[in-house]
Each structure stands twice: as structure tokens, then as C-alpha cells.
Amino acid sequence: MKPFQNLSKSIKANNPFSIFTKNLSGFPLDSRNITNDLISIFTKQPFSPNNPELESLAPLLNTKVVETVLNGLKNWKIALHFFTWASNQGPYKHNVYAYNAMASILSRARQKAPLRALSMDVVNSRCLMSPGALGFLIRCLGNAGLVVEANLLFDQVQKMGLCVPNSYSYTCLLEVLSKSSCIDLLEMRLKEMHDHGWGFDKYTLTPVLQVYCNMAEFDKALDVFNEIHDRGWVDEYVFSILVLAFSKWGKVDKACELIETMEEKNVRLNKKTFCSLIYGFVKESRVDKALHLFDKMKKSGFTPDISLYDVIIGGLCVNKDVKKALCLYSEMKGFKIKPDVKIVTKLVSSFSKEEELTCFFEEMQEDMDPKASTLLYNSVLNSLVDNGSVHKAYHLLQAITIGNCIGDGEIGKLFRGKEMVPPNSTTFSIVINGLIKTGDLDLAVSLFRDMARIGCKPDLLLYNNLIDGLCTSNRLQESCGLLQEMEESGIEPTSFTNNCIFGCLCRRHDISGALHLLKKMRIHGHVPWIKHSTSLVKELCKHGKEVEACKFLVDMAEEGFQPDIVAYSACLDGLIKIQEVDQALKLFQDICAQGYCPDVIAYNILIKGLCKTQRIAEAQNLLHEMEEKGLVPSAVTYNTLIDGLCKTDHLEEAMLFLSMMIEKEREPNVITYSTLINGLCNAGRPDDALLLWNEMGRKGCTPSSIAYMAFIHGLSNCGRPNEALVYLREMEEREMKPDTYVYVGLLSAFLVDSNQPLAFEILQEMVDEGKFPDLHDKNHISVRNAILKLSEDARTSLSIKNLLAKSSIPSASLSVTGIKDGVEPAI
């Protein structure tokens, strides 16, 4: 029951709007004729605004006629057309009841835009209205979801003196506001109503309760409910608002307490509320409460429908409460409600034992026709496959197919001595697809053959799934055989079918086979998937077959399939790696000539190749070309050029590129700074390198281990081992481990600086960290010579002997230095 239903009845006699909803009896004869003529003219197609009869009727318009015509028109567009026409026929002017008649039509049709315009027109025309008429118009706006417009209208008519709202007007507004989440606005209106001296009744407080419940403000909702209760206004609708809110927000126990309170007060739930609560309880995994409510619903005389059984049985199956689920299933049959496939599937999927499945099967078979039995079998098979029992499903299908039990399981016994229901294509597809997913392709193919032998025709989807599975497992010959069978049976292969085989050919690096299939695909209008051709090109380049990769792309283009830029970029990268830079440039030019617009990645590949071969000027030209084409160079682009410039002793130009990156808002990264710092150190400019390192920190760019190692090694090479050691310790504090060459550089630098104690400290640390170079390491000779120098120095010779005594230094170093167990080296 709607909250304002009783109120509407009580004021109906005094409602001014009720006069235009009465039948035309009692309507003056002349007015009835005018009304009928207008309805006829506006509904007749095509409508003519210049109709002479219409011109003669215009002077006869009055509000009664307009209201009656509007109520007689069935189409909102025609009604709006008439309403607009009437408003332009002076001296006639719409009154509020005409506006409300039009608003009611637009609200029912959910036409928000014209209804919004209508509400503005009411105000602009300075139309006077009664509090009841205002309430009606506000409810029309609210029913169409125009809450903001309703609230604005309420304020405007008061401000302009068009209406003095009463308690009914406020109640209508509160009802509209309750449909939104505007708690603050609703509370403000409630206070405003109280301040104007209007008392609250049941219909005032009900929308307040509704909005608090919608927003899960349960404390406030209970306060309002208690007030309604204390005044004796609680009815079924008020209870339902609160109990449904508790259910919606997961407060199941609170909802149950409220239901008990309702029963004590002899307030009954209606069927819709029962169903909503049961759905909510199951959703919250409170199936026990849902069952309890379900029993109450039946005792109240309501008959459950199949959807309600579906929800509860589904909840019981999730909880593995099979016994209760089966009881409900039997109850359904008692109510003559026929279970659908969804319910059967849920039940079957919940059985953990074959005995349960067998009992259910036998009960189902009693009153099932062959078609229904097949659906049942399919449901069982589907459940077994979904639960991971694919092989059980396979054996069951064999039992169904050949009529003989395989094995002594309960499911197998079920079919002994019983007439088999012939499986259909769906039956086979369920099991075959399950076998494909588990990789049991031999069984899948075998079952596919059985399917054909008993006259079941595979469909396109099954062919595609099996071909895809075989291609994924590199079983190309079988896939091609199935493709041929498919075509011979009259099933047209799809783009997916051919692309499965094309992908397999590409993975096998079978260029001729792939090109042959491309010709066939072109005839059928199938487009090869880019990922396969790109993968083939990458694999060919990876295995040193860059020339074959380029030729494949050319041949592919000749077949009418243009490779994408990703494939071409893979080919360019392959050519760069084998130092075929000129060939890569030619391919790049050919790509551009074909209308391609290479992306930033393609340009970066070429720039990298040119920089590696010290062709810096050409690389810079490519950068300019990129920018002219509207491409935005990435940090990788600039880093590559900076690296090339540093390695060719063009440090100033490299530093200019750093400034350019900042100007163009391409944030330099740790690679940018590391490259420049390394270049400055190599050029013997450690002070500049230190300045740049500090700038990197100020910019918030955290150094990586590679950056630290390059900087430490660079400072060591520049004869600044003490500063290098500071950054080594900083690196270690950040739990980064340096490589051997970093230790070796520091060791050598301290020896050059005649600081043998610190040199030994570095050697000791290198040994402790397991970074001592082996005989094949290029750093081994440097370390061996360092050990010899340290053994000759009085400050460190004893420490070296101790290291040797502990076998901390590999024995190969002993034979070279001539130091053995405390024996002085030969000098």
C-alpha cells in the first residue's frame, strides 16, 4: 500500500484537480462537441495547423475544454502539441489544472525535458495555484525523477506569491525528496514545515523514514519509526520500508526481529515484501532465515513461484545442504511447478557423492520425456565438467552413447538395463570442450569421432574449439584435417578457424605454409591476426633470420595484408642487431612510402642503430623528422641520443639535449642522468659530474644501483677514490650490492693514491661479499697485481698473509704472487 493512498482518498472530494478527471457526463453539450472536434483534428494524420475548423474552434477554448481534450488524447506528443497550440490562442490562458493535466501525461510517459520546461512555464506565466494543485504538480515532477526541479518549483511559487503551501504540499515535497539521497534538504524542509505551524502526520513521516532507510541511517530511521509507532500510525507499508532496509543493508537479524514484532501486532507482509526479503537473506548467505520466512509466506496463503524456489535452492546448494534442496525440489513437484534447467543444474553441481546424483537421476527420470531427459543428462555432464570431473563425464557419455556401463560406479549402474536417451550435439560439445580445456586432446578427438558415428553433427563452435586446441598443442596436421572435414560438411570456416591454423604455422616458423594460408584467407575475406605475423617476425629475427623476416612481410603485403608497424619495428630491430643499419633505413623508407606513419618506437630503434655506429648527425635528423610529423620523442629517444653524443665526445651537445628535455616537459630519468654523469667522468670532469648528481637528487630522481656503480667507477677513474668511497657506503646503506668492477676500480684508485690501508679495506670487502674475480674475469689481473702491491707494503702485508692463511683468496692468486703461509714474497 502506497503511503499517500489513504490520504488521497480522504481529500478526493475536496481536491480541485478531481473535477477534470470525471467523465464527460454532465459536461455542457456544446463543450463536448468542441472537445470531440479538437481530439479528432489533432489525432487525424497528417495534422494541418491551418485547418479552418481549428481556427473556428480556437475562440471557444476554455480551461475545462483543454483539460478534457488532454485527458482524451492517448499520445503524449499529440497532447503536448495540443497544449502548446492552446497556449498560443489568445485570450485563452492555461490555469493550474490544465498544467497539471499535461504534467500528469508527461510524468507517466517519463518525458523529463518537456516536463522540466513545463514547470518553468508555470512559474513564468505566474499561474496561481492551490496547495493541493502544487502538491500534485510536485509529485508529477518527482515521479519522473526531477527532484531538483520539484524543490525549486516549491520555492519559486512561494517567493512569487503564487501559492501558500500547506501540510499536504509539504508532504508531497517530502515524498519526492525521499526518492533521492538529500537527507539534509529533507530535514530542512521538515523543520521549515514545523516552523510554519504545520503538524506532522503519518504521510509526512513515512517519506522521512524512507530516506533514512535508503541511506542506512538506522538510528534516525528507528527514531522516526518509533514516533509513527507511538502515534498508532504503523501499518504494513511502514513496517515493510524498515524491514526491507534492514535486509538490503545486511542486517538480517534486525529484520527478523522486526518481522516478529509485526506478527505480534497482526501486521502481515505482502507477497512482494516476502519475496524481496527472501532474496536479500539468501544474498547475505542467511539461507536459514530465508527458509524460515519462506515457511511463513506459505502459511500466509501465498504460493511461491519458480523464481523463488530457484533462489532458495541455489542458496542451499552453495551451502552444500543437498537434503533440504532436494526436499524443496520435491515440494515444487507437489505444487505442480516444473523445475527448469537452471534449478536442475544447481542441484547436480552440489552433489559430492555419486549416490546422491543417482537418487536424483532416478527421481527425475520418472516423469520426463526424452527431450527433458536429454536436457537432464546435459546438465549432469555440465556439472561434472565444471567441478573438474571431466573423465567421469567422459565415461558417463560413453555409457549413454553405447548403452554399456564402463566401470562399477554409481552413475554407471544407473544406466544398466535402461533404455538410453540418445545424446545430442550439445551433449558431446560439453564433454569435448571440457577435455580440450584439460589438455586431453586424444580423448577429445576420439569422442568427436564417436559423435559422427552416431549421427550427431558438430557445429561451428565445436570445430573451432577443437582446431584451436590442436593448434595450441602444435598438432597442425590434425587441425588441417579437421578444417577440410569442416568444409566438406558444408560449414564455412570463420576468421577464427583460419587464424588458429595461421598462428600454429607462424609458431612453427613455416613461412611457406603461412603464405599459402594467407592466399586462401584473402579469398574468403578473412584478415590474419597481427599478433601471429608479428610473433613470427620476432622469432625469425631472434634466430638470426632477419632477411627471411623482411621477405615474409613483403610477401604478406603482396597478398593484400599490410603488416602493422609493430611487425615492421621487430624487423627493423633485427636488422639493427646484425648491424645492417643501411638495410634497416631502406626498409624504413619503404614503410613510409607505403603510407605508414612509423611510431616513436620505430624511430627509437633506428636512432639507436645510428648512434651505435656513431652516425649521430643522421640520428639527429631522424629526431627532427619525428617532430615534423607530430610525434613526441620519448625519454628513450633523448637518452639514446645523449648516450651516442657522450660516447663520441660531444658532451656539450649532450647537455643541450638535457635542457631540451626539460623545456619540452620530457622528464629526465635516472638513465638520462647516469649516462651524462658517466660521460663527464670519462671526459675527466668529475666536478661537473658531482654537480649533475646533486641536481638529479634535487629533481627527485632516485639513483639506481647502475647509476651508483657508474658514478663510483667514474670518480675512481678520475683519481677521486675518497669521494667514490662515500657514495659506495651510501649505496650499501640503500641495500644495493656493487659489482666486482666497482670494487676493482676503487682498489686501483686507492693504490694509485698510495692509500694501501683503504685499498686493503676494499679488497677485504670484495672477498667478504663474494665478488673476488675468477681467472677468466678481465679484472683478475688487476686484482692480482693489487694483492702483490699490498703484500709488499709494511702496513698491509700481514693482513694479506692472514687472508691467504684463511684461504679467503683463491689458490690461483697464491701461485702468481709467490706468497705461501707466511713466507715472504720474492722481491
Side-chain angles (χ1 to χ4, degrees), residues 586-606:
K586 183 180 182 305
L587 176 60
F588 185 80
Q589 290 163 0
D590 291 342
I591 294 169
C592 295
Q594 291 171 21
Y596 279 94
C597 183
D599 58 11
V600 174
I601 295 172
Y603 274 102
N604 285 349
I605 290 167
L606 276 182

Side-chain angles (χ1 to χ4, degrees), residues 599-628:
D599 58 11
V600 174
I601 295 172
Y603 274 102
N604 285 349
I605 290 167
L606 276 182
I607 289 171
K608 183 179 179 181
L610 290 167
C611 287
K612 276 189 173 180
T613 53
Q614 299 188 357
R615 294 160 68 171
I616 308 299
E618 291 175 78
Q620 287 177 304
N621 289 338
L622 277 180
L623 173 67
H624 299 319
E625 184 182 309
M626 278 177 76
E627 293 173 325
E628 287 171 2

Side-chain angles (χ1 to χ4, degrees), residues 462-528:
L462 185 57
Y463 268 115
N464 279 349
N465 287 343
L466 193 52
I467 288 172
D468 182 40
L470 291 168
C471 286
T472 302
S473 297
N474 199 26
R475 293 167 67 164
L476 180 63
Q477 189 173 354
E478 292 168 90
S479 300
C480 292
L482 278 177
L483 177 63
Q484 186 177 347
E485 286 179 30
M486 186 178 177
E487 291 171 327
E488 289 172 355
S489 66
I491 298 176
E492 187 73 26
T494 63
S495 177
F496 178 87
T497 321
N498 284 321
N499 269 297
C500 288
I501 295 176
F502 179 64
C504 187
L505 290 164
C506 288
R507 287 190 293 272
R508 292 163 69 103
H509 303 175
D510 187 346
I511 297 175
S512 61
L515 289 171
H516 177 74
L517 183 59
L518 284 177
K519 292 177 182 178
K520 183 178 175 182
M521 291 174 73
R522 177 169 53 79
I523 294 169
H524 289 90
H526 297 161
V527 179

Side-chain angles (χ1 to χ4, degrees), residues 276-290:
S276 298
L277 287 169
I278 290 168
Y279 274 84
F281 289 179
V282 172
K283 185 180 176 182
E284 293 297 323
S285 301
R286 297 296 300 273
V287 186
D288 55 333
K289 299 293 185 183

Side-chain angles (χ1 to χ4, degrees), residues 178-251:
S178 72
K179 297 176 182 177
S180 69
S181 57
C182 307
I183 291 180
D184 293 340
L185 183 56
L186 183 135
E187 289 176 342
M188 184 196 80
R189 291 298 187 187
L190 198 64
K191 182 178 182 302
E192 187 180 294
M193 183 180 177
H194 178 268
D195 292 344
H196 280 91
W198 300 112
F200 300 157
D201 61 13
K202 171 183 174 180
Y203 304 103
T204 309
L205 296 177
T206 300
V208 179
L209 176 66
Q210 183 73 68
V211 77
Y212 285 147
C213 286
N214 289 345
M215 300 306 294
E217 294 278 356
F218 289 116
D219 290 338
K220 291 182 177 181
L222 286 170
D223 287 342
V224 176
F225 178 81
N226 289 334
E227 185 170 349
I228 296 173
H229 179 269
D230 292 343
R231 298 191 185 191
W233 295 336
V234 174
D235 61 9
E236 177 188 322
Y237 181 74
V238 171
F239 263 120
S240 297
I241 291 173
L242 194 57
V243 76
L244 287 172
F246 281 136
S247 173
K248 175 185 175 182
W249 296 104
K251 296 184 178 295

Side-chain angles (χ1 to χ4, degrees), residues 413-437:
K413 292 175 183 176
L414 179 65
F415 295 98
R416 282 209 183 102
K418 293 189 179 180
E419 183 180 350
M420 291 294 103
V421 176
N424 57 19
S425 297
T426 304
T427 316
F428 281 98
S429 296
I430 291 167
V431 181
I432 291 171
N433 287 330
L435 291 167
I436 292 168
K437 286 179 182 177

Side-chain angles (χ1 to χ4, degrees), residues 562-575:
Q562 292 294 340
D564 76 339
I565 195 63
V566 178
Y568 277 121
S569 294
C571 210
L572 288 172
D573 192 47
L575 291 169

Side-chain angles (χ1 to χ4, degrees), residues 235-445:
D235 61 9
E236 177 188 322
Y237 181 74
V238 171
F239 263 120
S240 297
I241 291 173
L242 194 57
V243 76
L244 287 172
F246 281 136
S247 173
K248 175 185 175 182
W249 296 104
K251 296 184 178 295
V252 175
D253 293 325
K254 285 280 187 184
C256 292
E257 287 177 20
L258 196 58
I259 292 167
E260 289 176 8
T261 305
M262 290 175 70
E263 289 174 344
E264 290 170 5
K265 296 183 178 296
N266 295 318
V267 179
R268 294 183 63 210
L269 293 173
N270 59 32
K271 185 176 180 180
K272 182 179 178 182
T273 306
F274 269 120
C275 292
S276 298
L277 287 169
I278 290 168
Y279 274 84
F281 289 179
V282 172
K283 185 180 176 182
E284 293 297 323
S285 301
R286 297 296 300 273
V287 186
D288 55 333
K289 299 293 185 183
L291 279 172
H292 182 66
L293 202 58
F294 186 64
D295 289 336
K296 285 186 178 182
M297 177 181 172
K298 289 182 288 185
K299 289 174 183 176
S300 297
F302 299 117
T303 304
D305 58 16
I306 189 169
S307 62
L308 202 57
Y309 276 107
D310 183 26
V311 168
I312 300 175
I313 288 173
L316 290 167
C317 288
V318 169
N319 293 345
K320 300 298 179 185
D321 197 340
V322 180
K323 188 177 289 185
K324 287 182 182 177
L326 285 172
C327 286
L328 280 182
Y329 172 78
S330 300
E331 184 181 290
M332 283 180 72
K333 294 173 69 177
F335 279 121
K336 305 297 182 186
I337 300 173
K338 191 172 182 181
D340 59 12
V341 174
K342 287 196 298 182
I343 292 175
V344 172
T345 303
K346 286 174 183 176
L347 281 165
V348 169
S349 64
S350 67
F351 297 138
S352 57
K353 299 177 182 178
E354 287 190 6
E355 294 90 338
E356 295 170 336
L357 185 59
T358 304
C359 292
F360 178 65
F361 234 45
E362 288 176 337
E363 184 178 348
M364 284 289 296
Q365 285 179 318
E366 291 174 3
D367 51 358
M368 294 189 90
D369 56 32
K371 184 178 179 181
S373 294
T374 303
L375 287 174
L376 172 62
Y377 292 145
N378 290 351
S379 177
V380 172
L381 292 170
N382 206 47
S383 174
L384 290 169
V385 169
D386 288 344
N387 290 334
S389 302
V390 180
H391 286 90
K392 273 188 182 180
Y394 170 74
H395 292 310
L396 175 56
L397 179 53
Q398 281 198 320
I400 297 170
T401 305
I402 63 179
N404 293 320
C405 170
I406 297 178
D408 295 322
E410 293 292 331
I411 295 177
K413 292 175 183 176
L414 179 65
F415 295 98
R416 282 209 183 102
K418 293 189 179 180
E419 183 180 350
M420 291 294 103
V421 176
N424 57 19
S425 297
T426 304
T427 316
F428 281 98
S429 296
I430 291 167
V431 181
I432 291 171
N433 287 330
L435 291 167
I436 292 168
K437 286 179 182 177
T438 57
D440 292 306
L441 289 173
D442 291 331
L443 288 178
V445 172

